Structures are given as C-alpha cells and as structure tokens.
Amino acid sequence: MEEIRSKELFEAAKRHIPGGVNSPVRAFGSVGRTPRFIASASGDKITDVDGNEMIDYVCSWGPGILGHAHPRVIEKVQEACSYGLTYGAPTEKEVILAELIAELIPSMKVSRLVSSGTEAVMSAIRVARGYTKRDKIIKFEGCYHGHSDGLLVKAGSAALTVSVPDSAGIPADYTGNTLIASYNDKDSVEKLFLAEPDSIAAVIVEPVAANMGVVLPENGFLEFLREITAQYGALLIFDEVITGFRLAPGGAQEYFQIEPDLTTLGKIVGGGMPIGAYGGKREIMEMVSPLGPVYQAGTLSGNPISTTAGIETLKILAEDQDIYRRLEDKAKKIADVVRNVAGESVCVNQIGSLLSIFFTSEKVTDYKSAVSSDKDRYAEYFGYLLDRGIYVAPSQFEAMFLSDAHTEEDIKYTCRILEEYLRQ
Ligand SMILES: *Cc1c(COP(=O)(O)O)cnc(C)c1O
C-alpha cells in the first residue's frame, strides 16, 4: 500500500502543528508508522489520501456508531447548514435534543450541552462540588475523563491519597483534590472514604473503562460505588462519553441498571459533530447558572449543526433497537475468533460493540493488568492489519469500535486476517 501522500502531508503538518496532529494518539507514535491522512469515509470504510480503502474500527473513537456519512444524518446536517451555522441564542433543536436525552437516559432529566467530552466532565465535577460544598473527587487509575487539569493525574508513589500531575504544565495544587483508586478494587475506594469521610464531592468512573483498552466492571463493583457514595453523601458521576448510546440506548446505566447522580456524554450524542453534555436530577442541575451559583457557559454550546447530527443519530438508534444486538454479534464474532486461535496468550475483553485485544496472558481487570500488555506485539499486529486494509486503534490502550455499517463480509475478512496473524 502506498503511503506517499500521507507521508508528504505528515511532514508538512509537522511544520505548523505540534507533532503534526491535533490530538496525540493520531500520530501513530506507539505503533511506529506514518499516520494515514483521511480523505473521505463512507459506511464502515475510510479512504486515505493515497486512495487506500480501510475497514475502520476506530469510528472516530466512538461517535461513528452508525458508520460514516449515514445518509439520514448527512441530509439533515446539509439542510441545517443552509439556515446558518451558529446564532449564540436558543434554538428548538436544543430542546429536542434535551428531550431525547431525558427520554433515553431518564437520570438525565435536566442537561446542559457543551462542545466536548472534556468540557462535560469538567462542568459536571464543578456542579458536584458546588452541590455538595466539598472539594475532593475520586477517580480511577486508567480511566480517562478528558484533558482538564484536575483529571490528568496519576497515583503518587508515596501515600495512597496523594496524586500528581500526569502532564507538564499542571501545578501540583490543581491535582491535590483528586484522589486515585483502582478500578474494580472496592477496598481502594473504601480507604479513601474512610480517610476523608466529609470531603469527597464525587466519585467519577467510566462504568465500562474504555481508555486503558476495554475493561469491564466486575460483578457488584458499580453497585458498590452507588452504595458507598450515597452512604457518604457524595455524588456518583458516570462518564458515559463512550458508553452513552453505545451499550444500550440508555448507556451503561441502562445496561447495568444503576442510576448515577450525574452523567457526562460526548462522542455519539453529537453524531460526528463536536458536542458534549452533562446532566442529572433537576435539584442538582439547578445549581448551574443562570439558576444557581455554578458558572458554566459556551459560545458554541448547543450549536445547531451539532444538535442536528446528534438528534438524527439518537433517533435512528431509538427507532431500531435491534441495532444493539447486531452490533454485539459482530463484536462477539471477532472476540471469538481471537480467543479460539490465540487461547490464553492474549486477553480479549468485549462488551456490546466495544472490544480490546490485550497482548498479555494476564486477565485484564484494571490499569496494572492492562499495562502488562506487550506493546511491541501490538505495534506488529497493528501494522499487519493496516497493510491488509484494516484500521484499528494505533494504541494498545484504546478500544476497537463496531458500527452498524460493518458488513458481514468485512467482519469475515477481518476475522480471516486476525486468524492468519495469530497463527503465524
Ligand atoms: C473521549 C472521552 C472524553 C473526552 O471527550 P473529548 O470530546 O475528547 O473532550 C471524556 N471521557 C471519556 C470516557 C472519553 O472516552
């Protein structure tokens, strides 16, 4: 496969864009290849600037649950564009989207639209702090909640409760209120609550972790978080930026039947356009300005084009609930092939249309086991697939996403190539 034009563009990009990309994982840094510059996409395929067509399992990191350029979404967006791109004033579309969100995710009775998942999480945490009048939050190692200062943290080496910035440019003061627990480890959460019973505003969690590769919550883990937060007067925030509308129309909270106090959304809710949302009970959301003392705003919040793409995407998902069965069938096919061929030498985690192949013989249940994966092996696997027209995440620690547009034929082809790779 030729990569001539992609290579030229990457060189040009590096002259004016840090690392040549506008989001780091796109640089293919951990897989040692040149990023493919994409020219177009349709259904389950993306085509790069050299004309290579690839079956896409990144799906823009989650939004593409219907596949690329779904005709109904494109038609509505084109129509919406002709009415103007932004007004900075309320529109009917925002009302419709808020109603749809509340209908599909009943715990989000009241919600605010923002422009990204990062912003949604940042705002939800501000609301949780404003509502509880407490400063500290608990997050889990390996869960990603966007790149805001207080959430780019890693566990410090000393005491359990100390976290340190996980990026340069973040003052230690900004992360001091973020406590870190271990995913699927109830004790680690309990210890933090025991140490700071009156200071924790919220526990934030990806109900299915999908940013250290896919890691499922063990039986009872989410129930435990629901109970302990209620017991200590803290809020439970589900970051459903990936799982929202992906695991079920009502997201992970419908799938696992657990109601969080606040939920954050992004990715699918914008149908491919920039958007984020956060919401919960009226009583909590009434903290938000102009009703309450928690300030949060946005010039392009509730943008009419983003809301149009989001509304149409959610409508399609709500109309055709068989979609979730179809999605899971496809993911299972891939997971089964890998498990059958590779046996214990890899760990496959799959739920709904999300899956990860970890090159480790450990069972991956948290960050520690996720990072036991062989990254060189992943890079080799990635290159093998890319050279055969299959585009998976250029990092071991990202999910493989299925869309409704993935055809039987393309799944079959993918399974054949995976089998070929794993047998060699
Ligand atoms: C992608 C993601 C975010 C951040 O969303 P952006 O739109 O990239 O800012 C937050 N939380 C989770 C769980 C995500 O996967």
Side-chain angles (χ1 to χ4, degrees):
M1 275 191 177
E2 299 263 44
E3 295 186 329
I4 297 169
R5 190 67 189 132
S6 277
K7 282 187 170 143
E8 285 169 2
L9 282 174
F10 194 40
E11 287 314 308
K14 283 192 275 194
R15 286 196 281 277
H16 298 292
I17 303 170
V21 290
N22 281 310
S23 198
V25 70
R26 297 180 194 171
F28 280 22
S30 65
V31 290
R33 294 285 299 252
T34 304
R36 295 277 170 90
F37 280 63
I38 306 306
S40 67
S42 175
D44 65 351
K45 305 246 175 48
I46 48 174
T47 304
D48 70 15
V49 287
D50 290 290
N52 301 306
E53 198 178 69
M54 299 163 280
I55 306 169
D56 179 20
Y57 291 101
V58 177
C59 295
S60 192
W61 307 97
I65 193 165
L66 301 175
H68 296 283
H70 190 288
R72 270 178 62 181
V73 178
I74 298 296
E75 191 194 322
K76 293 285 182 189
V77 166
Q78 281 172 341
E79 188 196 353
C81 287
S82 66
Y83 299 123
L85 299 179
T86 174
Y87 323 117
T91 65
E92 186 178 4
K93 297 270 170 64
E94 294 165 85
V95 183
I96 296 170
L97 186 53
E99 285 170 353
L100 260 172
I101 291 172
E103 185 188 314
L104 296 173
I105 308 180
S107 80
M108 295 183 78
K109 187 103 192 130
V110 180
S111 63
R112 244 302 150 80
L113 294 177
V114 292
S115 298
S116 69
T118 295
E119 232 189 302
V121 174
M122 192 180 86
S123 311
I125 287 174
R126 188 177 299 151
V127 170
R129 286 174 166 149
Y131 180 77
T132 59
K133 301 194 172 64
R134 297 172 175 185
D135 287 343
K136 300 219 152 103
I137 57 164
I138 296 177
K139 88 170 275 284
F140 293 92
E141 191 176 25
C143 282
Y144 178 69
H145 303 293
H147 67 90
S148 68
D149 285 343
L151 289 163
L152 281 186
V153 300
K154 59 184 174 199
S157 51
L160 180 75
T161 54
V162 176
S163 61
V164 295
D166 198 15
S167 160
I170 300 178
D173 286 1
Y174 287 29
T175 57
N177 284 316
T178 309
L179 313 177
I180 299 185
S182 245
Y183 199 77
N184 277 327
D185 179 351
K186 298 178 188 173
D187 278 355
S188 70
V189 180
E190 196 144 34
K191 274 186 193 144
L192 294 173
F193 271 107
L194 286 172
E196 313 254 9
D198 306 314
S199 325
I200 295 166
V203 172
I204 183 160
V205 67
E206 288 181 77
V208 169
N211 284 287
M212 48 176 151
V214 175
V215 179
L216 277 60
E218 284 171 357
N219 260 343
F221 179 61
L222 298 173
E223 286 83 351
F224 163 79
L225 295 181
R226 182 60 285 180
E227 281 159 23
I228 196 163
T229 44
Q231 182 190 338
Y232 284 93
L235 301 187
L236 179 62
I237 307 176
F238 273 7
D239 182 350
E240 296 228 39
V241 170
I242 283 184
T243 53
F245 313 111
R246 180 163 282 281
L247 287 188
Q253 51 196 276
E254 176 184 336
Y255 193 97
F256 294 107
Q257 290 293 306
I258 293 176
E259 195 175 295
D261 299 299
L262 286 168
T263 301
T264 56
L265 299 172
K267 299 186 173 126
I268 292 174
V269 74
M273 298 292 293
I275 212 168
Y278 67 99
K281 282 195 215 36
R282 175 173 310 281
E283 181 196 339
I284 299 173
M285 288 301 288
E286 284 188 345
M287 294 303 292
V288 180
S289 179
L291 286 179
V294 174
Y295 190 72
Q296 184 271 311
T299 302
L300 293 176
S301 294
N303 174 269
I305 313 304
S306 295
T307 47
T308 298
I311 289 166
E312 201 57 21
T313 300
L314 298 195
K315 275 190 182 163
I316 294 168
L317 292 172
E319 275 167 22
D320 177 10
Q321 301 220 348
D322 191 47
I323 209 169
Y324 292 94
R325 188 196 51 77
R326 294 199 296 271
L327 284 164
E328 172 139 45
D329 279 355
K330 290 185 254 193
K332 278 213 164 102
K333 266 188 195 138
I334 293 174
D336 286 346
V337 162
V338 176
R339 284 192 190 115
N340 290 340
V341 179
E344 304 280 289
S345 69
V346 303
C347 170
V348 183
N349 285 349
Q350 177 264 328
I351 180 169
S353 55
L354 294 168
L355 80 153
S356 274
I357 302 166
F358 294 96
F359 289 97
T360 175
S361 49
E362 277 187 45
K363 195 167 172 272
V364 177
T365 58
D366 59 9
Y367 182 71
K368 212 169 128 253
S369 42
V371 297
S372 74
S373 305
D374 182 342
K375 281 183 266 174
D376 294 337
R377 182 97 198 279
Y378 187 89
E380 183 194 79
Y381 148 90
F382 172 85
Y384 191 92
L385 265 56
L386 185 68
D387 290 335
R388 287 158 185 78
I390 299 170
Y391 189 85
V392 296
S395 160
Q396 168 73 84
F397 305 110
E398 304 284 356
M400 190 167 179
F401 293 92
L402 273 297
S403 79
D404 198 41
H406 281 93
T407 62
E408 285 294 314
E409 192 191 346
D410 288 339
I411 297 291
K412 232 183 232 165
Y413 171 75
T414 304
C415 289
R416 183 163 71 71
I417 297 296
L418 279 170
E419 190 170 342
E420 199 178 280
Y421 171 73
L422 293 165
R423 281 201 198 285
Q424 57 161 4

PDB file of all heavy atoms in Angstrom, residues 116-119 121 144-147 206 211 239 241-242 267 275, ligand 1:
ATOM      1  N   SER A 116     -17.512  19.537  24.060  1.00  0.00           N
ATOM      2  CA  SER A 116     -16.659  18.340  24.036  1.00  0.00           C
ATOM      3  C   SER A 116     -16.887  17.533  25.301  1.00  0.00           C
ATOM      4  O   SER A 116     -17.469  18.025  26.280  1.00  0.00           O
ATOM      5  CB  SER A 116     -15.181  18.731  23.947  1.00  0.00           C
ATOM      6  OG  SER A 116     -14.769  19.337  25.163  1.00  0.00           O
ATOM      7  N   GLY A 117     -16.389  16.319  25.290  1.00  0.00           N
ATOM      8  CA  GLY A 117     -16.463  15.470  26.473  1.00  0.00           C
ATOM      9  C   GLY A 117     -15.659  16.050  27.627  1.00  0.00           C
ATOM     10  O   GLY A 117     -16.073  15.993  28.784  1.00  0.00           O
ATOM     11  N   THR A 118     -14.517  16.603  27.297  1.00  0.00           N
ATOM     12  CA  THR A 118     -13.666  17.226  28.315  1.00  0.00           C
ATOM     13  C   THR A 118     -14.444  18.275  29.095  1.00  0.00           C
ATOM     14  O   THR A 118     -14.427  18.318  30.329  1.00  0.00           O
ATOM     15  CB  THR A 118     -12.440  17.897  27.644  1.00  0.00           C
ATOM     16  OG1 THR A 118     -11.644  16.882  27.044  1.00  0.00           O
ATOM     17  CG2 THR A 118     -11.602  18.682  28.643  1.00  0.00           C
ATOM     18  N   GLU A 119     -15.123  19.119  28.330  1.00  0.00           N
ATOM     19  CA  GLU A 119     -15.891  20.204  28.937  1.00  0.00           C
ATOM     20  C   GLU A 119     -17.058  19.663  29.772  1.00  0.00           C
ATOM     21  O   GLU A 119     -17.395  20.209  30.828  1.00  0.00           O
ATOM     22  CB  GLU A 119     -16.455  21.051  27.796  1.00  0.00           C
ATOM     23  CG  GLU A 119     -16.184  22.513  27.881  1.00  0.00           C
ATOM     24  CD  GLU A 119     -16.982  23.238  26.817  1.00  0.00           C
ATOM     25  OE1 GLU A 119     -16.811  22.931  25.615  1.00  0.00           O
ATOM     26  OE2 GLU A 119     -17.794  24.085  27.189  1.00  0.00           O
ATOM     27  N   VAL A 121     -17.224  16.801  31.404  1.00  0.00           N
ATOM     28  CA  VAL A 121     -16.741  16.243  32.665  1.00  0.00           C
ATOM     29  C   VAL A 121     -16.305  17.355  33.623  1.00  0.00           C
ATOM     30  O   VAL A 121     -16.641  17.357  34.813  1.00  0.00           O
ATOM     31  CB  VAL A 121     -15.569  15.266  32.419  1.00  0.00           C
ATOM     32  CG1 VAL A 121     -14.973  14.815  33.738  1.00  0.00           C
ATOM     33  CG2 VAL A 121     -16.033  14.076  31.596  1.00  0.00           C
ATOM     34  N   TYR A 144     -10.100   7.642  31.670  1.00  0.00           N
ATOM     35  CA  TYR A 144      -9.819   8.944  31.061  1.00  0.00           C
ATOM     36  C   TYR A 144     -11.094   9.776  31.088  1.00  0.00           C
ATOM     37  O   TYR A 144     -12.177   9.283  30.764  1.00  0.00           O
ATOM     38  CB  TYR A 144      -9.352   8.764  29.614  1.00  0.00           C
ATOM     39  CG  TYR A 144      -9.080  10.066  28.884  1.00  0.00           C
ATOM     40  CD1 TYR A 144      -8.000  10.876  29.237  1.00  0.00           C
ATOM     41  CD2 TYR A 144      -9.910  10.479  27.833  1.00  0.00           C
ATOM     42  CE1 TYR A 144      -7.752  12.067  28.552  1.00  0.00           C
ATOM     43  CE2 TYR A 144      -9.656  11.665  27.154  1.00  0.00           C
ATOM     44  CZ  TYR A 144      -8.578  12.457  27.509  1.00  0.00           C
ATOM     45  OH  TYR A 144      -8.327  13.632  26.846  1.00  0.00           O
ATOM     46  N   HIS A 145     -10.939  11.028  31.493  1.00  0.00           N
ATOM     47  CA  HIS A 145     -12.115  11.902  31.565  1.00  0.00           C
ATOM     48  C   HIS A 145     -11.851  13.226  30.876  1.00  0.00           C
ATOM     49  O   HIS A 145     -12.329  14.274  31.313  1.00  0.00           O
ATOM     50  CB  HIS A 145     -12.499  12.126  33.021  1.00  0.00           C
ATOM     51  CG  HIS A 145     -12.777  10.853  33.773  1.00  0.00           C
ATOM     52  ND1 HIS A 145     -13.856  10.047  33.490  1.00  0.00           N
ATOM     53  CD2 HIS A 145     -12.103  10.225  34.775  1.00  0.00           C
ATOM     54  CE1 HIS A 145     -13.845   8.984  34.299  1.00  0.00           C
ATOM     55  NE2 HIS A 145     -12.781   9.073  35.080  1.00  0.00           N
ATOM     56  N   GLY A 146     -11.068  13.199  29.804  1.00  0.00           N
ATOM     57  CA  GLY A 146     -10.738  14.442  29.118  1.00  0.00           C
ATOM     58  C   GLY A 146      -9.472  15.032  29.709  1.00  0.00           C
ATOM     59  O   GLY A 146      -8.899  14.495  30.662  1.00  0.00           O
ATOM     60  N   HIS A 147      -9.040  16.168  29.149  1.00  0.00           N
ATOM     61  CA  HIS A 147      -7.698  16.653  29.491  1.00  0.00           C
ATOM     62  C   HIS A 147      -7.703  17.871  30.417  1.00  0.00           C
ATOM     63  O   HIS A 147      -6.734  18.629  30.463  1.00  0.00           O
ATOM     64  CB  HIS A 147      -6.906  16.943  28.209  1.00  0.00           C
ATOM     65  CG  HIS A 147      -7.445  18.093  27.420  1.00  0.00           C
ATOM     66  ND1 HIS A 147      -7.013  19.386  27.636  1.00  0.00           N
ATOM     67  CD2 HIS A 147      -8.369  18.152  26.456  1.00  0.00           C
ATOM     68  CE1 HIS A 147      -7.683  20.185  26.807  1.00  0.00           C
ATOM     69  NE2 HIS A 147      -8.501  19.470  26.093  1.00  0.00           N
ATOM     70  N   GLU A 206     -15.718   5.637  34.541  1.00  0.00           N
ATOM     71  CA  GLU A 206     -16.233   5.110  33.278  1.00  0.00           C
ATOM     72  C   GLU A 206     -16.881   3.781  33.654  1.00  0.00           C
ATOM     73  O   GLU A 206     -16.179   2.854  34.071  1.00  0.00           O
ATOM     74  CB  GLU A 206     -15.093   4.831  32.295  1.00  0.00           C
ATOM     75  CG  GLU A 206     -14.423   6.031  31.678  1.00  0.00           C
ATOM     76  CD  GLU A 206     -13.325   5.581  30.702  1.00  0.00           C
ATOM     77  OE1 GLU A 206     -13.648   5.152  29.585  1.00  0.00           O
ATOM     78  OE2 GLU A 206     -12.150   5.636  31.066  1.00  0.00           O
ATOM     79  N   ASN A 211     -10.633   3.439  28.064  1.00  0.00           N
ATOM     80  CA  ASN A 211      -9.475   4.249  27.710  1.00  0.00           C
ATOM     81  C   ASN A 211      -8.165   3.679  28.254  1.00  0.00           C
ATOM     82  O   ASN A 211      -7.133   4.346  28.273  1.00  0.00           O
ATOM     83  CB  ASN A 211      -9.668   5.691  28.193  1.00  0.00           C
ATOM     84  CG  ASN A 211     -10.642   6.457  27.302  1.00  0.00           C
ATOM     85  OD1 ASN A 211     -10.301   6.806  26.179  1.00  0.00           O
ATOM     86  ND2 ASN A 211     -11.858   6.693  27.768  1.00  0.00           N
ATOM     87  N   ASP A 239     -19.135   8.711  33.729  1.00  0.00           N
ATOM     88  CA  ASP A 239     -18.649   9.311  32.491  1.00  0.00           C
ATOM     89  C   ASP A 239     -19.009   8.352  31.361  1.00  0.00           C
ATOM     90  O   ASP A 239     -18.348   7.342  31.134  1.00  0.00           O
ATOM     91  CB  ASP A 239     -17.130   9.532  32.570  1.00  0.00           C
ATOM     92  CG  ASP A 239     -16.591  10.195  31.310  1.00  0.00           C
ATOM     93  OD1 ASP A 239     -17.350  10.307  30.317  1.00  0.00           O
ATOM     94  OD2 ASP A 239     -15.412  10.601  31.314  1.00  0.00           O
ATOM     95  N   VAL A 241     -19.184   9.148  28.161  1.00  0.00           N
ATOM     96  CA  VAL A 241     -18.803   9.754  26.879  1.00  0.00           C
ATOM     97  C   VAL A 241     -18.644   8.666  25.810  1.00  0.00           C
ATOM     98  O   VAL A 241     -19.048   8.861  24.664  1.00  0.00           O
ATOM     99  CB  VAL A 241     -17.530  10.618  27.029  1.00  0.00           C
ATOM    100  CG1 VAL A 241     -17.006  11.051  25.671  1.00  0.00           C
ATOM    101  CG2 VAL A 241     -17.831  11.860  27.879  1.00  0.00           C
ATOM    102  N   ILE A 242     -18.123   7.511  26.190  1.00  0.00           N
ATOM    103  CA  ILE A 242     -18.056   6.397  25.228  1.00  0.00           C
ATOM    104  C   ILE A 242     -19.283   5.492  25.322  1.00  0.00           C
ATOM    105  O   ILE A 242     -19.884   5.143  24.316  1.00  0.00           O
ATOM    106  CB  ILE A 242     -16.769   5.562  25.438  1.00  0.00           C
ATOM    107  CG1 ILE A 242     -15.575   6.332  24.834  1.00  0.00           C
ATOM    108  CG2 ILE A 242     -16.882   4.181  24.774  1.00  0.00           C
ATOM    109  CD1 ILE A 242     -14.254   5.606  24.876  1.00  0.00           C
ATOM    110  N   LYS A 267     -19.079  12.305  22.158  1.00  0.00           N
ATOM    111  CA  LYS A 267     -18.991  11.313  21.074  1.00  0.00           C
ATOM    112  C   LYS A 267     -20.345  11.045  20.380  1.00  0.00           C
ATOM    113  O   LYS A 267     -20.797  11.891  19.640  1.00  0.00           O
ATOM    114  CB  LYS A 267     -18.286  10.057  21.570  1.00  0.00           C
ATOM    115  CG  LYS A 267     -16.853  10.456  22.020  1.00  0.00           C
ATOM    116  CD  LYS A 267     -15.926   9.379  22.427  1.00  0.00           C
ATOM    117  CE  LYS A 267     -14.538   9.967  22.654  1.00  0.00           C
ATOM    118  NZ  LYS A 267     -13.921   9.702  23.914  1.00  0.00           N
ATOM    119  N   ILE A 275     -19.545  17.957  20.334  1.00  0.00           N
ATOM    120  CA  ILE A 275     -20.565  18.186  21.349  1.00  0.00           C
ATOM    121  C   ILE A 275     -20.196  17.441  22.626  1.00  0.00           C
ATOM    122  O   ILE A 275     -19.396  16.519  22.611  1.00  0.00           O
ATOM    123  CB  ILE A 275     -21.960  17.704  20.840  1.00  0.00           C
ATOM    124  CG1 ILE A 275     -23.094  18.558  21.412  1.00  0.00           C
ATOM    125  CG2 ILE A 275     -22.177  16.255  21.179  1.00  0.00           C
ATOM    126  CD1 ILE A 275     -24.417  18.322  20.747  1.00  0.00           C
TER     127      ILE A 275
HETATM  128  C1  LIG B   1     -13.231  10.865  24.815  1.00  0.00           C
HETATM  129  C2  LIG B   1     -13.534  10.883  26.243  1.00  0.00           C
HETATM  130  C3  LIG B   1     -13.591  12.092  26.974  1.00  0.00           C
HETATM  131  C4  LIG B   1     -13.185  13.408  26.397  1.00  0.00           C
HETATM  132  O1  LIG B   1     -14.016  13.776  25.346  1.00  0.00           O
HETATM  133  P1  LIG B   1     -13.463  14.858  24.271  1.00  0.00           P
HETATM  134  O2  LIG B   1     -14.651  15.118  23.411  1.00  0.00           O
HETATM  135  O3  LIG B   1     -12.332  14.167  23.574  1.00  0.00           O
HETATM  136  O4  LIG B   1     -13.027  16.040  25.027  1.00  0.00           O
HETATM  137  C5  LIG B   1     -14.012  12.030  28.281  1.00  0.00           C
HETATM  138  N1  LIG B   1     -14.352  10.865  28.859  1.00  0.00           N
HETATM  139  C6  LIG B   1     -14.292   9.697  28.201  1.00  0.00           C
HETATM  140  C7  LIG B   1     -14.717   8.446  28.884  1.00  0.00           C
HETATM  141  C8  LIG B   1     -13.862   9.672  26.873  1.00  0.00           C
HETATM  142  O5  LIG B   1     -13.753   8.499  26.246  1.00  0.00           O
END
